[in-house]
Amino acid sequence: MEALDYHAEERRKAEFDVDEMKIVWAGSRKAYEISDRVARLVASDPVFRKDSRTMLSRKELFKDTLKKAAHAWKRIIELRLSEEEATKLRFFVDQPVFTDLHFGMFIPAIKGSGSEEQKAKWLPMAYKMQIIGCYAQTELGHGSNVQGLETTATFDPQTDEFVIHSPTLTSRKWWPGGLGKVSTHAVVYARLIADGQDHGVHGFIVQLRSLDDHLPLPGITVGDIGMKFGSGAYNSMDNGVLKFDHVRIPRDQMLMGVSQITREGKYMESDVPRQLVYGTMVYVRQTIVASASSALSRAVCIATRYSAVRRQFGSQNGGPETQVIDYKTQQNRLFPLLASAYAFRFVGDWLKWLYTDVTQRLQANDFSTLPEVHACTAGLKSITTSATADAIEECRKLCGGHGYLSSSGLPELFAVYVPACTYEGDNVVLLLQVGRFLVKTVSQLGSGKKPVGTIAYMGRAEHLSQCRCEVQRAEDWLKTHVIVEAFEARAARMAVACAKNLNKFPNQEDGFAELSADLAEAAVAHCQLIVVSKFIEKLQQDIPGKGVKRQLEILCNVYALSLLHKHLGDFVATGCITPEQGALANEQLRQLYSQVRPNAITLVDAFNYTDHYLGSVLGRYDGNVYPKLYEEAWKDPLNETVVPDGYHKYIRPILKQHIRVARL
């Protein structure tokens, strides 16, 4: 019997070609075909099942993770998958695992900071998984402040070795994924000390475990740091603790791409510019922004589909109740998140281009765009991950009580995603870095130094500080130049205000400390402008497919105007717009929601996620929610017996009044 599609009527309402939108979402037809093929491959493989994951004990979960990682590697070899296909396969397996850090951090660290000789030695082994690596930077006492790391690497000229040591409790490496139980090697970040001089933090390749029996090598104490937030979720990852007790490594295991120690113990900068390490940073942050769009789109897909299935109130003459998705309050909360998923996708695609551009510039010794690129990637990592974490929780609430069930997929998705707000740079710390950059840019405006890239608008700061918004009617907010100028004026005026206030302090560092909240808000304004601008740039490309471009225009306007409404205080307080113009923006936003509504289900279908990947009863493609929820309930281990374990010992004595009361 053919399965019912409870979303069929919704899909018939669509005003665009969903297959073409899938290609736009994937980035290209080739990328779509690879993603679609690999997703189905994973979904059809019983080894990759995950429906009982949240019920497993920690040991069972970790063993299941190792099994899936080994099977994934086996399939990659058997099917001779390309690097792109292999990355997609690991993505759709959807379980945090040591290979995430091996391929995502360990290998890029060697590629970005190693010498040509080191790359030739270590990368082939790493790519073949003959060694498994992690990225050991964060310590028990230091995370964001990398320059405060305490682990030492002291050069011994007598033996031509570095001695890696953890001198204090707080110098223990803490958090590196894959470290706890699996990694054989690590790129360890430590203070380089030679001839009594501290040369700051550098990277070293250190073997941790025997390649024969996997036991820790002499001088190394290593283990897992324990359970983390949520059921399943990131508990599949062996985040580790690592202590060094005078561990010796050869001198040539210091990453020597940008600096090195000679045999005599002399510290030398290499011919390769130190700025090359920025390429790795841009790459890592680009992948984090891409992951934000994936996690957000997944949550939005679940919430949108369930909002179309769920009906509450509004029954007329015994007819069906109103679909929850038709309530304006639901649309007001949900549709900006849908628009954000697309916005983050496109800014993530742009960051891929930026990584290529930066790499080419660095190789040509062109460092002119580095400060802007550093600020841009730091800020985008911050705002996309913070917005996504908040949005996943909002999607859970949009699904009502059922969103709290593990089977909804949302609690585990939230638990597995929120670390992104902290790793690779705490989000507030990153915003403060962007804020400092903005203030510096403002201070250089009179010097003739022209702002470039995403900060180019600051070159028109004088105009932006005086311009007045031309909006007179709600539909005026649909004009691209009106939206862009409002966001540019807000960002420029907030940055200039910070710079002026900073100049009032005799000591600038005192000023930065006092104005840190203002600096963070200015950074958010700048980064939101970037996302809006990149969405608009996407619309200026040739986008094929019936109605596809029109839907993206609607989503772009929803994204921009929902941000304007959310941060209305910024726009009004800086004089960019009047309160009346803000009200007109909100009026236009309501009209845009009505245009999104008939296309909502198909817009999330365009993400092309399998039911396996979504891992949600509420987000099923066919919308057959209630029978499946009921079916899932009976799979819980508590329902293996009708009478619960412990009844005779604890419940029956209460019911029969047989509790023995101790006499004092």
Side-chain angles (χ1 to χ4, degrees):
M1 188 175 76
E2 190 174 339
L4 287 172
D5 181 356
Y6 290 87
H7 289 310
E9 186 178 340
E10 289 288 337
R11 293 186 169 107
R12 282 193 288 271
K13 296 176 185 176
E15 300 164 337
F16 68 97
D17 185 334
V18 68
D19 291 328
E20 289 294 336
M21 186 67 89
K22 287 177 180 178
I23 293 169
V24 171
W25 175 261
S28 68
R29 186 173 295 277
K30 180 187 175 186
Y32 162 71
E33 289 171 351
I34 289 173
S35 179
D36 186 63
R37 182 172 67 252
V38 174
R40 295 177 192 283
L41 172 72
V42 172
S44 63
D45 193 321
V47 176
F48 295 132
R49 283 189 62 174
K50 58 183 184 180
D51 44 329
S52 63
R53 183 166 64 196
T54 57
M55 299 180 198
L56 299 177
S57 69
R58 180 81 199 283
K59 278 192 170 183
E60 291 170 333
L61 175 63
F62 189 64
K63 190 173 181 181
D64 175 69
T65 305
L66 297 183
K67 176 183 176 183
K68 286 175 179 170
H71 187 63
W73 185 243
K74 178 172 176 280
R75 297 300 285 150
I76 288 167
I77 294 170
E78 288 173 345
L79 299 172
R80 297 181 179 179
L81 299 186
S82 66
E83 188 174 343
E84 182 181 0
E85 290 168 328
T87 300
K88 275 293 176 187
L89 185 140
R90 287 189 287 268
F91 170 80
F92 284 119
V93 170
D94 184 41
Q95 195 151 314
V97 65
F98 62 88
T99 50
D100 298 349
L101 283 303
H102 176 77
F103 288 104
M105 295 295 291
F106 179 72
I107 288 176
I110 296 174
K111 285 174 69 176
S113 300
S115 65
E116 292 305 315
E117 294 79 8
Q118 289 175 320
K119 293 176 193 176
K121 175 181 177 179
W122 295 100
L123 290 179
M125 292 189 288
Y127 279 122
K128 293 174 187 174
M129 297 279 281
Q130 292 170 328
I131 60 173
I132 298 170
C134 65
Y135 187 86
Q137 177 174 291
T138 299
E139 295 176 355
L140 189 56
H142 288 89
S144 297
N145 182 15
V146 175
Q147 296 310 311
L149 295 181
E150 298 175 86
T151 303
T152 56
T154 306
F155 181 64
D156 181 352
Q158 302 297 322
T159 60
D160 197 25
E161 293 173 320
F162 284 104
V163 181
I164 313 293
H165 186 58
S166 306
T168 64
L169 174 65
T170 50
S171 69
R172 270 65 162 173
K173 295 299 179 184
W174 190 273
W175 277 116
L179 169 64
K181 292 294 174 185
V182 176
S183 293
T184 62
H185 290 68
V187 170
V188 175
Y189 287 86
R191 312 194 71 81
L192 192 163
I193 298 170
D195 196 21
Q197 187 175 351
D198 186 335
H199 294 281
V201 175
H202 290 69
F204 301 83
I205 300 173
V206 183
Q207 184 172 348
L208 307 175
R209 292 178 169 97
S210 164
L211 292 176
D212 295 322
D213 58 13
H214 207 61
L215 289 174
L217 296 183
I220 285 174
T221 303
V222 63
D224 187 272
I225 62 171
M227 282 287 287
K228 299 170 287 282
F229 181 55
S231 300
Y234 222 82
N235 288 299
S236 59
M237 181 71 79
D238 56 325
N239 296 92
V241 54
L242 173 64
K243 173 191 171 186
F244 295 103
D245 184 2
H246 299 93
V247 173
R248 290 180 171 270
I249 62 169
R251 176 171 56 88
D252 65 6
Q253 285 180 216
M254 168 189 170
L255 290 176
M256 294 186 176
V258 295
S259 57
Q260 58 183 280
I261 291 289
T262 66
R263 177 65 186 85
E264 295 73 33
K266 184 181 178 183
Y267 182 81
M268 291 179 60
E269 300 281 352
S270 73
D271 295 334
V272 179
R274 175 171 288 278
Q275 290 92 334
L276 275 182
V277 298
Y278 279 89
T280 304
M281 178 200 68
V282 175
Y283 169 78
V284 171
R285 287 180 178 165
Q286 170 257 310
T287 61
I288 291 174
V289 173
S291 297
S293 77
S294 298
L296 176 51
S297 57
R298 186 171 167 182
V300 166
C301 184
I302 294 167
T304 302
R305 286 177 177 171
Y306 181 62
S307 294
V309 169
R310 185 72 168 177
R311 291 176 179 270
Q312 291 289 290
F313 307 111
S315 174
Q316 300 290 326
N317 302 318
E321 295 176 88
T322 302
Q323 289 171 281
V324 170
I325 199 172
D326 285 328
Y327 288 107
K328 290 296 179 182
T329 48
Q330 193 82 350
Q331 294 176 9
N332 186 54
R333 296 162 65 195
L334 177 60
F335 291 168
L337 305 184
L338 173 57
S340 297
Y342 277 89
F344 293 174
R345 186 69 169 193
F346 298 144
V347 81
D349 289 344
W350 171 74
L351 281 176
K352 291 178 186 175
W353 170 85
L354 185 68
Y355 171 63
T356 304
D357 180 67
V358 166
T359 303
Q360 291 171 350
R361 286 174 181 271
L362 291 176
Q363 289 169 349
N365 286 346
D366 176 4
F367 311 123
S368 60
T369 63
L370 270 187
E372 181 260 334
V373 167
H374 179 273
C376 165
T377 55
L380 289 176
K381 184 272 177 186
S382 177
I383 69 159
T384 57
T385 54
S386 289
T388 297
D390 292 344
I392 296 169
E393 170 62 5
E394 186 67 10
C395 285
R396 183 194 65 76
K397 291 186 282 192
L398 282 162
C399 293
H402 296 336
Y404 194 63
L405 286 167
S406 277
S407 59
S408 77
L410 292 166
E412 188 182 18
L413 178 59
F414 179 73
V416 83
Y417 187 75
V418 287
C421 296
T422 306
Y423 62 60
E424 288 310 302
D426 174 87
N427 282 355
V428 174
V429 173
L430 293 179
L431 288 179
L432 292 175
Q433 291 176 8
V434 178
R436 281 179 178 265
F437 167 73
L438 292 174
V439 167
K440 185 176 181 181
T441 301
V442 172
S443 70
Q444 294 174 339
L445 288 178
S447 68
K449 188 174 181 181
K450 194 175 179 182
V452 296
T454 57
I455 200 73
Y457 70 96
M458 290 294 285
R460 295 180 286 108
E462 190 173 343
H463 164 74
L464 292 171
S465 67
Q466 299 171 351
C467 64
R468 292 288 175 265
C469 180
E470 66 183 53
V471 166
Q472 295 180 332
R473 300 169 302 169
E475 55 267 32
D476 289 341
W477 278 114
L478 299 179
K479 298 174 182 175
T480 299
H481 73 275
V482 170
I483 289 175
V484 170
E485 187 169 81
F487 274 82
E488 286 182 342
R490 170 206 178 203
R493 293 180 192 193
M494 291 177 75
V496 169
C498 283
K500 286 181 177 177
N501 288 332
L502 196 60
N503 287 333
K504 298 174 184 176
F505 288 83
N507 184 305
Q508 200 168 56
E509 286 307 311
D510 289 344
F512 276 120
E514 187 66 27
L515 299 172
S516 56
D518 294 350
L519 288 164
E521 289 173 2
V524 168
H526 170 66
C527 295
Q528 287 176 344
L529 165 63
I530 295 174
V531 181
V532 169
S533 300
K534 296 310 167 187
F535 205 148
I536 290 170
E537 285 180 17
K538 179 70 177 180
L539 295 174
Q540 293 166 350
Q541 299 174 10
D542 181 30
I543 300 174
K546 171 182 169 287
V548 170
K549 187 169 186 175
R550 176 63 188 143
Q551 290 307 310
L552 293 178
E553 288 171 347
I554 292 168
L555 290 174
C556 181
N557 287 325
V558 167
Y559 179 71
L561 294 184
S562 63
L563 282 180
L564 189 148
H565 179 63
K566 183 177 180 181
H567 298 276
L568 189 58
D570 287 351
F571 286 91
V572 173
T574 53
C576 301
I577 67 172
T578 64
E580 293 75 19
Q581 290 169 329
L584 290 173
N586 200 34
E587 181 184 327
Q588 183 57 57
L589 197 52
R590 287 196 300 272
Q591 295 175 28
L592 289 167
Y593 292 157
S594 298
Q595 295 173 50
V596 173
R597 170 62 189 94
N599 300 284
I601 290 297
T602 326
L603 283 167
V604 299
D605 285 350
F607 303 149
N608 202 39
Y609 294 146
T610 62
D611 283 345
H612 171 273
Y613 176 69
L614 277 182
S616 170
V617 172
L618 304 187
R620 291 174 58 88
Y621 181 84
D622 63 9
N624 190 22
V625 170
Y626 295 127
K628 295 298 180 181
L629 269 178
Y630 187 76
E631 187 181 304
E632 282 297 311
W634 293 106
K635 293 179 182 177
D636 192 282
L638 274 183
N639 289 324
E640 289 174 0
T641 58
V642 177
V643 176
D645 295 342
Y647 166 77
H648 291 285
K649 188 173 182 179
Y650 302 113
I651 300 175
R652 183 179 169 83
I654 294 173
L655 293 172
K656 299 300 182 182
Q657 305 291 295
H658 289 166
I659 294 178
R660 293 178 180 272
V661 180
R663 292 180 180 179
L664 296 177

